[in-house]
């Protein structure tokens, strides 16, 4: 096919710049946001990073994302199918990971379940805090590893890597730590801004910077619940019904959320 990324460096370059590089930036923002307890921003940026890595990997492997929208679960299922075992099924903290006593089972989670949670927390309507969210700071480590694994697949997997018989798929299978390209934010020596970015990426990052992370021996931990202002208003509809109706009349809500809020108002 004309313009196929497997045969065209121009096509690959466009996809990398438009999707992978943008995902790298969202990933950096997500890491920074959770470190300063801006958890709605963490969820939104994490969703955006995952969405763009997925679109990059799918496009480079011949799958159209023209009608995918923000459905990262659908795209994740498509990618894991064509990746054929390259993407692990369950996040399990590796041996030596500095877990708190008794916390191991709470940290094990299928990647698909993590994708579902990020999809819900990072829903576009959560930009306006329409939905309550629960963020566990350990989600940072799950995001690190999810982005690490997705980023490995941002290459035409069946394109020849070296020699006549070694494709990128084969190379990735033989080396589970392989990244075709490193994270790139225009780092330059003696650049204070770039040093700050690099420090944000290195901090407790057991996926991309395991040596530094294991030397520090610390993890992100602890959960936080944030109730949506909409949810809190719905707990007292008799007092808030007029304000909720005004908001419905003047702000965007999807049909399902609008109908649910109307039910509460009408039952007040």
């Amino acid at each position: 096919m004309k313009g196929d990324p497997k045969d065209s460096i121009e096509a690959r370059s466009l996809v990398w710049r438009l999707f992978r590089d943008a995902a790298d930036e969202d990933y950096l923002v997500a890491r920074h946001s959770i470190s300063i307890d801006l958890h709605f921003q963490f969820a939104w940026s994490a969703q955006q990073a995952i969405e763009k890595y997925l679109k990059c990997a799918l496009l480079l492997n011949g799958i159209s994302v023209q009608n995918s929208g923000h459905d990262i679960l659908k795209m994740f299922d498509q990618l894991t199918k064509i990746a054929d075992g390259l993407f692990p099924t369950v996040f399990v903290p590796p041996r030596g990971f500095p877990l708190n006593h008794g916390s191991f089972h709470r940290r094990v989670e299928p990647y698909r379940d993590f994708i579902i949670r990020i999809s819900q927390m990072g829903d576009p309507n959560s930009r306006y805090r329409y939905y309550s969210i629960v963020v566990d700071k350990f989600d940072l480590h799950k995001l690190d590893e999810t982005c690490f694994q997705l980023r490995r697949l941002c290459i035409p997997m069946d394109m020849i890597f070296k020699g006549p018989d070694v494709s990128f798929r084969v190379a990735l299978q033989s080396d589970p730590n392989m990244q075709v390209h490193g994270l790139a934010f225009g780092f330059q020596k003696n650049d204070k801004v770039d040093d700050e970015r690099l420090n944000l990426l290195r901090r407790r990052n057991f996926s991309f910077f395991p040596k530094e992370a294991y030397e520090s021996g610390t993890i992100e931990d602890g959960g936080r619940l944030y109730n949506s202002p909409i949810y809190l208003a719905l707990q007292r509809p008799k007092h808030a019904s007029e304000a909720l109706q005004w908001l419905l009349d003047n702000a965007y809500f999807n049909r399902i959320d609008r109908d649910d809020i109307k039910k509460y108002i009408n039952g007040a």
Side-chain angles (χ1 to χ4, degrees), residues 124-176:
N125 284 325
S126 280
R127 288 176 293 175
Y128 311 112
R129 307 193 178 196
Y130 286 178
Y131 307 141
S132 301
I133 65 170
V134 178
V135 175
D136 189 323
K137 281 197 171 184
F138 197 83
D139 286 339
L140 170 63
H141 304 302
K142 293 180 180 177
L143 176 67
D144 287 337
E145 190 61 18
T146 299
C147 290
F148 183 88
Q149 296 294 341
L150 288 175
R151 212 174 180 282
R152 278 166 41 86
L153 306 182
C154 288
I155 191 75
M157 287 180 273
D158 295 316
M159 187 173 75
I160 293 300
F161 173 51
K162 58 183 178 180
D165 302 318
V166 180
S167 66
F168 278 100
R169 184 184 297 274
V170 171
L172 291 166
Q173 287 170 338
S174 63
D175 182 1

Side-chain angles (χ1 to χ4, degrees), residues 126-243:
S126 280
R127 288 176 293 175
Y128 311 112
R129 307 193 178 196
Y130 286 178
Y131 307 141
S132 301
I133 65 170
V134 178
V135 175
D136 189 323
K137 281 197 171 184
F138 197 83
D139 286 339
L140 170 63
H141 304 302
K142 293 180 180 177
L143 176 67
D144 287 337
E145 190 61 18
T146 299
C147 290
F148 183 88
Q149 296 294 341
L150 288 175
R151 212 174 180 282
R152 278 166 41 86
L153 306 182
C154 288
I155 191 75
M157 287 180 273
D158 295 316
M159 187 173 75
I160 293 300
F161 173 51
K162 58 183 178 180
D165 302 318
V166 180
S167 66
F168 278 100
R169 184 184 297 274
V170 171
L172 291 166
Q173 287 170 338
S174 63
D175 182 1
N177 296 313
M178 177 183 175
Q179 282 285 337
V180 178
H181 301 114
L183 290 162
F185 297 94
F187 295 130
Q188 296 178 9
K189 194 173 182 180
N190 299 323
D191 188 319
K192 182 178 179 182
V193 174
D194 287 340
D195 284 345
E196 290 175 357
R197 293 174 182 173
L198 188 55
N199 288 335
L200 281 171
L201 284 168
R202 282 177 172 165
R203 183 175 178 268
R204 299 172 177 171
N205 194 329
F206 294 86
S207 299
F208 286 95
F209 300 95
K211 184 176 184 294
E212 293 93 333
Y214 278 104
E215 286 174 352
S216 69
T218 59
I219 64 169
E220 290 283 7
D221 202 6
R224 189 76 181 269
L225 164 67
Y226 293 90
N227 280 319
S228 161
I230 300 292
Y231 170 81
L232 294 174
L234 291 174
Q235 303 313 298
R236 47 197 301 272
K238 290 183 179 180
H239 301 280
S241 59
E242 290 185 2

